Amino acid sequence: MMQITDIQKIGVGLAGFGVCFLLLGVILLFDKGLLAIGNILFLSGLACVIGLEGTFGFFFQWHKAKGSAAFFGGILVVLLGFPLIGMMVELYGFVVLFSGFFPVAINFLRRVPVLGSILSMPPIGPYLDSMAGDQYKTVV
C-alpha cells in the first residue's frame, strides 16, 4: 500500500479549499477575488499532491499544450479582472486537459449503486455512452 505523506495531505486540503472557493465564487455571481483565490489554492494543492515535477510534467506535455494554454490563460484573465470570460476559457482548458479521464470517471460512477441507475436513465444514458465510449456495455 502506498504511504501518503503530510505534504500530500496538505495538498488535498488545499485543492479541496480551492474547489470550494471556485464554487463559492461562481455562486456569488463570479466574484473575481474568490475565483482568484480558488485557482491559486487548487494549483498549489495539485502541486503538493503530485509534486512540482509531476505537475509540470502534466501541464507541459506537447499534446496538452492547447488545454494548458487555455487553462492558464483563463486563470490569467480571471486575475486581470474579467471573471466570466476567464472562467469560460478555464473551463474549456479543463475539459481539454482532463478529457482522457472522463471515461474512467463515468464508468466508475456507473458502478455506484444508486448513482449508477440514475446515470443509466434514458435522457442521461446515451449521452454518457458517447462520452465514455461504452466500452463496458455488451450487446446481447
Side-chain angles (χ1 to χ4, degrees):
M1 188 167 153
M2 192 171 139
Q3 193 71 354
I4 298 175
T5 65
D6 289 338
I7 300 274
Q8 289 175 326
K9 292 176 187 176
I10 291 170
V12 169
L14 286 173
F17 277 121
V19 169
C20 289
F21 273 97
L22 284 171
L23 289 175
L24 191 60
V26 170
I27 290 171
L28 294 175
L29 301 175
F30 294 97
D31 181 54
K32 59 185 171 187
L34 290 174
L35 292 174
I37 291 171
N39 283 326
I40 292 168
L41 286 175
F42 178 74
L43 287 177
S44 61
L46 186 67
C48 287
V49 170
I50 63 176
L52 286 175
E53 186 177 328
T55 304
F56 286 125
F58 175 76
F59 282 111
F60 298 116
Q61 296 175 8
W62 183 249
H63 66 280
K64 293 183 180 181
K66 187 165 91 171
S68 296
F71 186 73
F72 288 117
I75 291 174
L76 181 66
V77 171
V78 167
L79 291 175
L80 290 175
F82 300 100
L84 184 61
I85 297 168
M87 285 304 291
M88 287 191 294
V89 173
E90 192 176 335
L91 181 65
Y92 170 74
F94 182 83
V95 169
V96 170
L97 278 173
F98 294 100
S99 62
F101 179 68
F102 290 150
V104 175
I106 289 170
N107 287 323
F108 172 76
L109 291 174
R110 281 187 170 162
R111 296 171 195 260
V112 176
V114 175
L115 194 58
S117 59
I118 293 171
L119 294 178
S120 298
M121 289 182 173
I124 302 170
Y127 176 71
L128 291 179
D129 287 342
S130 66
M131 280 183 66
D134 59 12
Q135 58 194 10
Y136 294 109
K137 293 232 178 228
T138 56
V139 178
V140 179

